[in-house]
Amino acid sequence: MNETILKKYAELLVKSGGNVQKGQPVVVGCSVDDAVFGRLVQDYAYDAGASEVIMDWNDGHTIRARYLRGSDELFDTFPDWMIKKYDYLDDRGAVYLRIESSDPDLLKGVEPSRLKRATKSSRAATKEHSAKLMSNVLRWSICAVPSPAWAKKVFPGLSEAEAVEKLWGHILKGARADGNNPIADWENHKNNFTKRTEYLNKKAFSALRITTGIGTDITLGLVNNHVWVGGGETSKDGVPFFPNLPTEEIFTMPDRNKADGRVVASMPLSYQGNLIDGFEMTFKNGRVESYSAKSGQENLASIMEMDEGARRLGEVALVANSSPIGQMNTLFYNTLFDENAAAHFALGKAYPSNMVGGDDLSVEELEKAGGNDSLLHVDFMFGTQDMKVIGIGADGSETVFLVDGEFVDM
């Protein structure tokens, strides 16, 4: 990949993504295979004034070997030193940047119970850290670079080199990082979200009715004083940032007790190195009462069985079919991109920032107000070319604002 383009992409992650400020420590999560790009990010973080840049290296082979060969008791514990590391960095106001490039099949064949137990123990141990990220106490941002295994998964008919080159093109286009000035392009992108979020926040619908031609038909209650968010976020200390590069969604908080109907996934879900495909679920009073998958049933069950909150919705996100990623008509096997190709729900924890004053509420107070809590937050796609969304007012009035996958009257 052209070095000039890579540098612009690394700078975008630092300056627009995490918006690193002078004197802040920065943590960069990066695979050893992506060291060249990771070091560019490191340099730009220092140039932005970071006091220290900590490279949090990872290795796919090591991760897989641990799950396949590690002693069984490993998966029910989480190291104290790692918790102390998060506490130390969080207290210093660290910015967390992550470079995503994992092989979608990395954990294929791993015993599902090991994955479930490891997820449960790690999420429980880092719950306080995750809450700070989800409530914008800390800034964070994720971008992606292609690995050969990921590229071949997406484009199996191409040679490895051709697949990597093509995936690079898709990633940069989807992340709006292929222009002359990506940072300025992202500011314009952010402004384009304002019209839709202002419209929906002014409407303050009490519920949504969502239908698709493949079988989704669900009425979804929204919490009182919900907030539609899209594009960027603002941290507690007033600094704007973009958590995801790319992002095309506007999203808000469902009421955890008010979802009734059927949801049929429109795309496979790559979860913990395993593919869940052909799946659907039925909700009653906010809770998944039944679910099934043509493949990956055991992995879907591991999500549902994580805790009570994993069977309820924490997010509803709408994406127009005309989004750049949606127009690529490509399954990325990676949620960072697939969730920006189609409308989606998230099972599990809600973002407190999707409610007025939500960041200041305790977990118990948020849940009492209708917000969901869980160790998980798992996005899955339901949007289709013929999706229709109706907003239902408190007085029962109906407003159609999305037809055939596109926003109208905004």
Side-chain angles (χ1 to χ4, degrees):
M1 178 51 60
N2 181 285
E3 185 179 3
T4 299
I5 295 175
L6 281 183
K7 286 182 176 179
K8 287 182 179 180
Y9 190 32
E11 185 180 26
L12 178 69
L13 177 63
V14 170
K15 292 186 176 180
S16 296
N19 199 356
V20 174
Q21 302 292 296
K22 187 175 181 179
Q24 287 189 300
V26 175
V27 181
V28 180
C30 182
S31 167
V32 293
D33 296 327
D34 304 319
V36 171
F37 183 71
R39 288 167 184 153
L40 285 176
V41 172
Q42 181 183 55
D43 290 346
Y44 276 106
Y46 275 125
D47 290 347
S51 59
E52 179 183 12
V53 181
I54 299 159
M55 298 303 296
D56 189 6
W57 299 107
N58 61 76
D59 172 55
H61 179 86
T62 301
I63 293 169
R64 181 171 174 81
R66 181 178 185 270
Y67 277 105
L68 290 177
R69 301 171 181 270
S71 59
D72 198 54
E73 62 269 17
L74 280 176
F75 307 103
D76 294 312
T77 58
F78 191 82
D80 289 340
W81 68 265
M82 291 186 70
I83 300 173
K84 291 178 180 177
K85 179 187 76 171
Y86 283 127
D87 289 343
Y88 172 74
L89 292 167
D90 291 356
D91 289 345
R92 295 173 66 201
V95 178
Y96 290 85
L97 305 178
R98 194 173 94 210
I99 301 164
E100 173 65 50
S101 67
S102 61
D103 175 2
D105 294 326
L106 178 66
L107 300 180
K108 189 174 182 178
V110 171
E111 172 59 45
S113 67
R114 285 193 164 196
L115 292 170
K116 177 184 175 183
R117 288 157 53 207
T119 300
K120 191 169 187 175
S121 62
S122 64
R123 296 291 175 86
T126 60
K127 191 171 185 178
E128 185 174 334
H129 168 69
S130 296
K132 291 175 182 176
L133 295 173
M134 295 187 76
S135 61
N136 295 338
V137 172
L138 302 169
R139 297 196 304 286
W140 55 280
S141 188
I142 306 171
C143 77
V145 301
S147 67
W150 180 18
K152 282 292 290 179
K153 180 75 173 181
V154 178
F155 304 113
L158 301 180
S159 69
E160 184 176 285
E162 290 171 332
V164 169
E165 183 178 3
K166 187 167 184 177
L167 185 54
W168 256 125
H170 278 43
I171 286 173
L172 293 172
K173 182 178 180 180
R176 300 171 186 263
D178 57 347
N180 292 326
N181 191 338
I183 291 175
D185 290 342
W186 269 84
E187 280 305 306
N188 291 332
H189 185 40
K190 179 181 179 179
N191 293 336
N192 290 335
F193 282 98
T194 302
K195 185 178 180 181
R196 291 173 182 169
T197 55
E198 285 185 348
Y199 172 88
L200 290 171
N201 286 327
K202 185 177 180 179
K203 285 290 187 179
F205 295 122
S206 62
L208 304 177
R209 169 83 184 280
I210 302 173
T211 55
T212 69
I214 62 172
T216 292
D217 189 343
I218 186 169
T219 299
L220 180 74
L222 304 177
V223 296
N224 292 332
N225 299 315
H226 63 271
V227 178
W228 287 90
V229 175
E233 300 270 4
T234 301
S235 62
K236 282 281 195 177
D237 56 358
V239 178
F241 68 106
F242 291 98
N244 293 326
L245 307 177
T247 186
E248 299 291 336
E249 62 179 321
I250 58 172
F251 61 99
T252 196
M253 188 187 300
D255 189 310
R256 68 187 303 274
N257 299 308
K258 296 180 180 179
D260 293 278
R262 180 183 181 220
V263 178
V264 179
S266 58
M267 300 172 66
L269 170 64
S270 181
Y271 178 72
Q272 296 185 330
N274 293 278
L275 203 63
I276 304 171
D277 197 7
F279 64 100
E280 63 176 79
M281 55 197 74
T282 301
F283 289 84
K284 184 177 180 180
N285 297 326
R287 187 177 187 274
V288 175
E289 291 291 294
S290 62
Y291 59 90
S292 65
K294 291 181 180 178
S295 63
Q297 175 74 15
E298 192 170 4
N299 299 105
L300 182 58
S302 72
I303 295 173
M304 298 294 177
E305 295 167 3
M306 181 60 61
D307 54 31
E308 174 58 26
R311 283 180 175 254
R312 298 178 184 272
L313 295 175
E315 175 188 323
V316 54
L318 302 177
V319 179
N321 290 335
S322 55
S323 75
I325 299 173
Q327 290 300 298
M328 292 177 191
N329 196 29
T330 299
L331 177 62
F332 287 88
Y333 301 95
N334 183 296
T335 300
L336 178 62
F337 282 81
D338 289 335
E339 73 171 1
N340 287 297
H344 54 275
F345 289 126
L347 292 164
K349 188 173 179 63
Y351 285 98
S353 56
N354 280 135
M355 179 189 291
V356 175
D359 289 336
D360 298 319
L361 299 179
S362 66
V363 171
E364 293 75 20
E365 289 171 332
L366 191 68
E367 191 167 285
K368 187 176 181 180
N372 195 38
D373 185 46
S374 172
L375 296 175
L376 296 181
H377 180 93
V378 180
D379 296 289
F380 69 95
M381 282 53 73
F382 66 84
T384 61
Q385 295 290 322
D386 60 0
M387 179 178 66
K388 181 179 180 180
V389 182
I390 300 172
I392 302 173
D395 59 356
S397 61
E398 296 186 354
T399 303
V400 179
F401 67 89
L402 198 149
V403 178
D404 292 333
E406 296 296 334
F407 291 98
V408 296
D409 297 331
M410 288 191 184

